[in-house]
Amino acid sequence: PVDAIFTSLELDTDLYRFTDQSIANDELTYTWLINDEFVSDQPEFEYQFDGLGSNVVTLIVVNSIGCED
């Protein structure tokens, strides 16, 4: 099993760093989405928001045997 967990840190006005904290027993692949649009495939990335409205950040992780969260 795999459990997708991440943290976010505001670095500056509307600039955030997102970091994977997922729990898994093997190597993971990453898909980060902001408002359902792909933004990164790395375990950590920074993103500058436009400051308007709310945003949904999603992390999808998949382990080596295809388990996904």
Side-chain angles (χ1 to χ4, degrees):
V2 61
D3 192 14
I5 302 168
F6 67 90
T7 59
S8 63
L9 176 65
E10 187 171 16
L11 303 174
D12 201 350
T13 301
D14 296 324
L15 175 63
Y16 286 82
R17 176 180 298 134
F18 296 93
T19 304
D20 169 62
Q21 300 290 312
S22 298
I23 300 168
N25 293 331
D26 58 5
E27 192 167 325
L28 300 172
T29 59
Y30 306 92
T31 302
W32 292 91
L33 307 171
I34 295 182
N35 301 324
D36 293 327
E37 293 187 27
F38 175 81
V39 291
S40 181
D41 63 359
Q42 300 300 307
E44 180 176 276
F45 75 102
E46 294 178 7
Y47 189 83
Q48 180 74 49
F49 291 95
D50 63 12
L52 303 174
S54 61
N55 297 279
V56 177
V57 179
T58 304
L59 169 61
I60 302 167
V61 291
V62 180
N63 69 9
S64 62
I65 61 170
C67 293
E68 179 179 311
D69 187 27

